[in-house]
Amino acid sequence: MTAAFQAEGLVKRYGKTVALDGVDLIGRPGTVLGVLGPNGAGKTTAVRILATLLRPDGGRATVGGFDVVKDPVKVRRLIGLTGQYASVDEDLTGLQNLELIAALLDYRGAEGRRRAVELLDQFDLTDAGGRPVKTYSGGMRRRLDLAASLVGRPDVIYLDEPTTGLDPAKRDDVWNMVRNLVTEGVSVLLTTQYLEEADALADEISVINHGRVIAHGTPAQLKHIVGGQTVVVRPLDPEHLPAVADILQGIAGVAAESPSRGVLTVPVDGDAALGHVVRQLESASIPVLELALRLPSLDEVFFSLTGRHELEEQAA
Amino acid sequence: MSTSTTSTRLSDPHAIPDRPEPRPFALVRHSLQLARRSLLKTMRTPEQLLDVTLQPMIFIAIFVYLLGGAIAGSTHDYLQFLLPAIMVQTIMMSSTVTGTNLNTDIKKGVFDRFRSLPIARSAPLIGSVLGDLIRFVVAITVTLGFGYLIGFRIGTDPLQLLAACLLVIVFGFCLSWVSVLIGMLVREPGAATGLGFLVMFPLTFGTNMMVPTDTLPGWLQAWVKINPATHAMEAARALMLGTPDASGPVLKTLLWSAVLLVVFAPLAVSAYRRRT
């Protein structure tokens, strides 16, 4: 199947600064590709090239099979863009913003209004639709921005850090909207600095740092790259903590750690470890409140990936 | 919108029935839509119109009552001489606002949205310039209204007055592209305003707006005679007062307008394309 969007060896320089240094990205139709990286990693530059706003200095990018440099107009018919800074017009009302975009997308007057009203409703902005956007809260503005990028029912949506600066409840709203888009068959490119966000939304993740993709895979694959899983045990009675620690050390071969009061964790290799833990706890008659086998968090993945990358850079 | 579909859009383009088809005359329609946006913005922030309302009144009052007696011997005679030229000056100064507004839009990211839409690259620029024509209409109305109130009378007929107004608007429209170019080239909106005024000052004051050309030193006369603003002011005077003959200055103004448009509009659009 053809990719919804694809970047191959993208290079972009600003003077002596290399913003992108050979970036490959691929978004499969109907999925979310998370592009994860710190500030200045090159995420926004990559999005701007894929959105035809910026010409690459090297490499190529396609959307729906159309080259972003050679066929920009066809690409623009397929995409919706939600910028890092909400790019709606503050002086216009929410409705006027959406109607303008509808008109620019060749909707006829009444159809355009219908589409605008429909989107305001969908994004819970019906009551605010007649007010200038400068009176909106940050969350409302972000919702309107997302609505604005959906007017033309795009195949591919770029969400450039859609939740930066939003409080957790508003963030959940945006997450749900993204999930809804995917169920409608839209392909999404999501850039984020938040590992949690990529983990929650992305089918695949490309980790980007210093203008290069340093890892790619599903969230689970990325977690595996860093290796081991962790067994977490919280005994019902804290008196049992030393006994649990002995059991864990016996299985893992390393001393258990206590990241918070009453909890012990130990890194393990292999899938049989959890079974051993369960059986030994049972035979020792230690009741537990919490027992889990978890993958490393994406934070741990990211730090080990970027750390390794930086070491390679220094060695080179 | 169908929510039950699980097929992806790209593999089945027919899954989205109500996406509109591209229609003809796209550039005109899109530019007019974007002009409407500028208009809505202007109406939302009427304080932006101070430069085309209060400012011409203040200029007229200062020049007429402060200098009129000394220059023309009578404030009324001077008002007749000055007012058509002030109309041109107000519009020239006002044209700098377009560049400032465009620069602001680009900085705020509003234009990123437009640039990601399947519309002509020039449409947002044309839209802004067209939308700001309302500022010219306000400027002319205020200048004529205030002038009439303090005693200005046309020496021709309403039709020629209308021709003068239209000519001045055409001149302003073409001159606006200088301001658009400036707005594309500088980093900050403030710099666009500053640079715009810097360009417009020698153009507006280096004319026979305030005094007849033959009272000026030779080098200044040379500048005044080639300055397109002089021709626009002469044309406005001729059409509103009946003297001198209008055809020469009108033709020169139209020619200059065409030159300004042909040179600066493509430059502005190409600067906009380069700017990211």
Side-chain angles (χ1 to χ4, degrees):
Chain A
M1 180 175 282
T2 54
F5 56 89
Q6 188 164 11
E8 291 166 284
L10 282 190
V11 176
K12 183 72 196 178
R13 297 180 206 93
Y14 295 103
K16 283 187 178 165
T17 317
V18 180
L20 296 180
D21 190 9
V23 165
D24 298 314
L25 297 171
I26 183 158
R28 290 172 225 291
T31 68
V32 179
L33 173 70
V35 174
L36 179 65
N39 267 332
K43 302 186 299 290
T44 297
T45 306
V47 168
R48 289 176 65 85
I49 289 173
L50 281 163
T52 76
L53 301 183
L54 204 61
R55 290 170 76 99
D57 295 323
R60 67 191 288 267
T62 56
V63 179
F66 298 115
D67 191 288
V68 295
V69 176
K70 291 181 199 133
D71 256 334
V73 177
K74 289 196 177 113
V75 169
R76 287 179 205 134
R77 292 204 179 280
L78 299 175
I79 61 171
L81 173 67
T82 295
Q84 195 170 331
Y85 304 99
S87 52
V88 283
D89 198 318
E90 295 198 330
D91 293 324
L92 302 190
T93 67
L95 183 67
Q96 285 168 341
N97 264 294
L98 297 183
E99 278 186 320
L100 171 66
I101 291 164
L104 294 177
L105 285 166
D106 289 342
Y107 280 86
R108 288 171 198 279
E111 283 171 46
R113 168 163 284 245
R114 202 176 316 131
R115 181 74 182 131
V117 168
E118 181 183 57
L119 281 166
L120 285 177
D121 181 54
Q122 197 178 325
F123 286 89
D124 205 16
L125 289 167
T126 302
D127 293 336
R131 279 185 4 225
V133 174
K134 65 177 105 180
T135 66
Y136 284 23
S137 69
M140 290 162 74
R141 204 177 284 218
R142 212 61 70 92
R143 294 210 297 277
L144 182 68
D145 193 48
L146 199 51
S149 66
L150 295 178
V151 173
R153 303 178 192 278
D155 295 326
V156 176
I157 298 210
Y158 304 130
L159 302 172
D160 193 11
E161 304 201 2
T163 61
T164 298
L166 290 188
D167 63 50
K170 300 288 188 306
R171 193 197 59 187
D172 284 351
D173 284 351
V174 173
W175 284 9
N176 284 329
M177 287 170 206
V178 176
R179 291 188 183 109
N180 285 338
L181 290 176
V182 178
T183 62
E184 288 168 19
V186 175
S187 315
V188 177
L189 188 160
L190 169 89
T191 77
T192 182
Q193 307 185 39
Y194 305 123
L195 307 146
E196 192 191 356
E197 185 160 276
D199 196 17
L201 295 175
D203 298 288
E204 290 179 46
I205 296 171
S206 291
V207 184
I208 184 170
N209 198 30
H210 297 312
R212 271 191 242 167
V213 175
I214 54 171
H216 175 86
T218 62
Q221 280 171 343
L222 283 184
K223 289 168 183 170
H224 270 296
I225 290 173
V226 188
Q229 299 149 332
T230 306
V231 171
V232 184
V233 182
R234 183 197 294 270
L236 184 63
D237 185 348
E239 297 250 308
H240 288 131
L241 279 171
V244 173
D246 285 345
I247 291 170
L248 291 178
Q249 185 164 5
I251 290 164
V254 292
E257 287 181 15
S258 182
S260 57
R261 269 171 72 96
V263 177
L264 287 168
T265 65
V266 71
V268 292
D269 287 319
D271 300 328
L274 185 65
H276 291 310
V277 174
V278 172
R279 276 189 295 277
Q280 291 195 23
L281 286 172
E282 206 170 57
S283 59
S285 301
I286 299 174
V288 292
L289 203 57
E290 186 185 338
L291 175 62
L293 180 66
R294 70 165 177 83
L295 289 164
S297 73
L298 269 171
D299 282 295
E300 288 158 328
V301 175
F302 191 75
F303 286 126
S304 72
L305 283 174
T306 52
R308 193 194 301 160
H309 187 66
E310 243 113 67
L311 285 178
E312 278 169 14
E313 296 243 301
Q314 282 162 12
Chain B
M1 189 189 291
S2 163
T3 51
S4 61
T5 175
T6 49
S7 74
T8 60
R9 298 276 185 85
L10 285 166
S11 58
D12 180 13
H14 303 290
I16 350 139
D18 50 354
R19 188 191 280 170
E21 287 296 306
R23 289 190 277 133
F25 305 111
L27 179 60
V28 176
R29 277 187 296 108
H30 296 157
S31 299
L32 287 175
Q33 285 296 339
L34 289 159
R36 187 169 164 270
R37 162 182 176 266
S38 292
L39 214 61
L40 287 169
K41 282 170 76 78
T42 305
M43 277 154 55
R44 186 86 58 193
T45 47
E47 62 271 21
Q48 275 206 29
L49 290 174
L50 278 180
D51 68 322
V52 285
T53 48
L54 268 183
Q55 197 175 295
M57 293 198 266
I58 292 168
F59 267 130
I60 292 170
I62 289 176
F63 290 150
V64 168
Y65 296 115
L66 214 60
L67 311 175
I71 294 172
S74 113
T75 53
H76 177 260
D77 288 354
Y78 193 59
L79 177 63
Q80 294 290 106
F81 175 77
L82 182 79
L83 190 116
I86 283 277
M87 206 161 90
V88 176
Q89 187 218 19
T90 307
I91 278 176
M92 292 175 71
M93 288 298 188
S94 158
S95 76
T96 62
V97 174
T98 307
T100 306
N101 284 347
L102 280 170
N103 192 285
T104 308
D105 278 344
I106 289 177
K107 279 199 94 71
K108 279 191 177 171
V110 181
F111 268 43
D112 267 5
R113 167 92 62 212
F114 297 150
R115 287 156 52 88
S116 73
L117 294 172
I119 60 174
R121 279 290 202 252
S122 53
L125 302 188
I126 299 175
S128 272
V129 174
L130 284 179
D132 282 346
L133 291 186
I134 187 68
R135 305 169 51 77
F136 298 165
V137 174
V138 172
I140 288 174
T141 311
V142 168
T143 308
L144 281 178
F146 183 69
Y148 197 86
L149 218 67
I150 60 173
F152 176 80
R153 295 294 179 266
I154 56 168
T156 54
D157 51 80
L159 221 58
Q160 289 202 52
L161 174 67
L162 191 68
C165 296
L166 289 177
L167 183 73
V168 171
I169 289 175
V170 167
F171 180 67
F173 173 81
C174 297
L175 189 69
S176 291
W177 290 97
V178 176
S179 163
V180 174
L181 177 63
I182 291 171
M184 294 302 119
L185 293 179
V186 300
R187 277 172 204 269
E188 299 289 332
T193 307
L195 198 56
F197 272 55
L198 212 63
V199 171
M200 288 308 158
F201 263 87
L203 279 175
T204 57
F205 286 98
T207 58
N208 60 8
M209 172 174 78
M210 295 171 69
V211 290
T213 313
D214 53 26
T215 62
L216 303 172
W219 59 271
L220 190 54
Q221 284 195 28
W223 164 245
V224 168
K225 281 173 184 164
I226 57 161
N227 185 351
T230 309
H231 302 303
M233 290 171 178
E234 280 292 288
R237 271 188 195 126
L239 286 168
M240 289 162 77
L241 304 175
T243 51
D245 179 52
S247 57
V250 168
L251 200 69
K252 281 181 190 157
T253 305
L254 288 174
L255 271 175
W256 263 115
S257 300
V259 168
L260 288 170
L261 184 70
V262 167
V263 171
F264 286 98
L267 281 178
V269 172
S270 100
Y272 172 56
R273 281 169 187 275
R274 278 198 309 275
R275 184 177 179 134
T276 39

